[in-house]
Structures are given as structure tokens and as C-alpha cells.
Amino acid sequence: MSAPETTTSCARKALTEEGVPTRTKVAGLLALLACVGCCALPYLIVAGIVTGAGAAVLQQTLIAAAAGLAALALGMWWLRRRQIAKRRAAAGGSGCGDANCAC
């Protein structure tokens, strides 16, 4: 015999079913590429593609871009999770804090 399936309307469990939005993945990927570009600067200097002064400016720009994009990706991810949780709770589901939800 199989165990009976229990259905819960817990907003926290519903969040794991939704996945990560595409825009968050794109922002995270761009932040990763900015980090890789920053780490590749010494090799670009040795190859003669970028000068020392250009590398200094480019490094600061890439660090700022990576930090900004990472913060943007985390913010979009957090806001999406809040929207889903509010939508599930407004649809009659039990919110966090009841006996069925492991929040």
C-alpha cells in the first residue's frame, strides 16, 4: 500500500515549485561574466590588448557592474518569491505560521 498523499497550500512549499525567473538567471549570468572579465584582466595586459591605465579603469568598472548585477539579481529573486507567497496566501492558502507549513 502506498502512503496517502497530503496536499498543503503552504506558500513556502509552493515557492520551491515555481523555480527561478529567467530575468534573475540572466542578471546572475551577466554578473558572473563581469567577474570573469575582471579576473581575465592580467592576461589581457600581458597579451597587450589592454594597457595598464585602461585595465585600472576597466577593473573598477567591472567590479561595480558585477556587484550591481548581483544585487539586482538577488533583489529580483526576493521580490518574485514575495509575489508568489502573497498570491498563494490571497488565494485561500494557508500562509506561514500554521501547523501545515514549515517556515
Side-chain angles (χ1 to χ4, degrees), residues 20-43:
V20 180
T22 304
R23 64 180 180 261
T24 303
K25 290 179 185 177
V26 170
L29 180 64
L30 290 175
L32 177 69
L33 288 175
C35 284
V36 169
C38 191
C39 293
L41 280 178
Y43 300 109

Side-chain angles (χ1 to χ4, degrees), residues 13-78:
K13 291 178 184 173
L15 293 174
T16 59
E17 297 170 0
E18 291 287 330
V20 180
T22 304
R23 64 180 180 261
T24 303
K25 290 179 185 177
V26 170
L29 180 64
L30 290 175
L32 177 69
L33 288 175
C35 284
V36 169
C38 191
C39 293
L41 280 178
Y43 300 109
L44 295 175
I45 293 171
V46 170
I49 298 173
V50 178
T51 63
V57 171
L58 190 57
Q59 179 185 17
Q60 297 303 318
T61 303
L62 287 173
I63 289 172
L69 285 167
L72 181 68
L74 287 172
M76 287 189 297
W77 172 76
W78 179 74

